[in-house]
Amino acid sequence: MMKEKHLVCQGATCKCKFGTAPDRLKVKTQSKRYINDKDGKEKLTATDKELGKTFEKNTFGSCAKMNHNPCQVIVTEWSGYYEKILIEDNTGKVLLEDSKATCPVGGKDCIEIINHGQTAEITSQNFKNANPDALVEICPFLDFKEISEDMEMEEENTDYR
């Protein structure tokens, strides 16, 4: 059975095996398809079309392949993307957390994703599905029933805005 893999979004942290610092991915090829983003303003879905200078700083620090001179990353291709989801806006295939990128200096698959960029968000449904006895054991000082009720009220109020 295949392990579940996360899709990658804007803000994913990447590193090059020849660099000294990570950088964050910027999605520049589409502006409509978001994942794991409640308001649809930050986490654009990343695809294999994110090529060229597609990072926030466009550097992974100093590059071991260039005598430790500053890295100037340029992505020429991605591998390991998910073939079954195509983003119509840029005809790109979505990146997975184990996708890799190629840079002309570092070579094939020298850039890897170390954090996919998605974050977990607790909802009232999580509390409804949780074992109350287990929650009390983990955090005995919190009133989870009250927290759940407050979250439900907040969700109801935001549904009508």
Side-chain angles (χ1 to χ4, degrees), residues 135-147:
L135 291 175
V136 169
E137 288 293 320
I138 295 168
C139 296
F141 49 87
L142 292 179
D143 183 348
F144 288 102
K145 184 176 181 188
E146 184 180 327
I147 292 170

Side-chain angles (χ1 to χ4, degrees), residues 17-62:
K17 61 183 169 185
F18 301 106
T20 57
D23 200 355
R24 293 189 183 276
L25 186 65
K26 277 189 79 74
V27 173
K28 298 179 176 181
T29 62
Q30 61 95 6
S31 60
K32 295 178 184 172
R33 311 297 172 199
Y34 292 86
I35 55 174
N36 184 230
D37 192 353
K38 192 173 180 180
D39 299 323
K41 294 180 182 159
E42 294 177 22
K43 298 187 180 206
L44 288 161
T45 306
T47 70
D48 67 322
K49 302 296 183 188
E50 309 312 324
L51 302 172
K53 294 182 177 289
T54 189
F55 291 94
E56 287 179 3
K57 299 174 190 163
N58 288 311
T59 184
F60 292 115
S62 62

Side-chain angles (χ1 to χ4, degrees), residues 106-149:
K108 179 130 179 84
D109 294 345
C110 65
I111 301 167
E112 65 181 8
I113 297 163
I114 54 177
N115 182 297
H116 48 73
Q118 293 194 52
T119 54
E121 187 172 307
I122 298 173
T123 67
S124 61
Q125 191 63 46
N126 295 119
F127 282 107
K128 288 177 189 171
N129 294 344
N131 179 330
D133 295 331
L135 291 175
V136 169
E137 288 293 320
I138 295 168
C139 296
F141 49 87
L142 292 179
D143 183 348
F144 288 102
K145 184 176 181 188
E146 184 180 327
I147 292 170
S148 181
E149 289 169 358

Side-chain angles (χ1 to χ4, degrees), residues 82-96:
Y82 190 59
E83 296 275 354
K84 295 181 181 177
I85 299 177
L86 182 74
I87 303 291
E88 289 181 19
D89 306 56
N90 66 1
T91 65
K93 297 183 173 115
V94 296
L95 298 181
L96 296 168

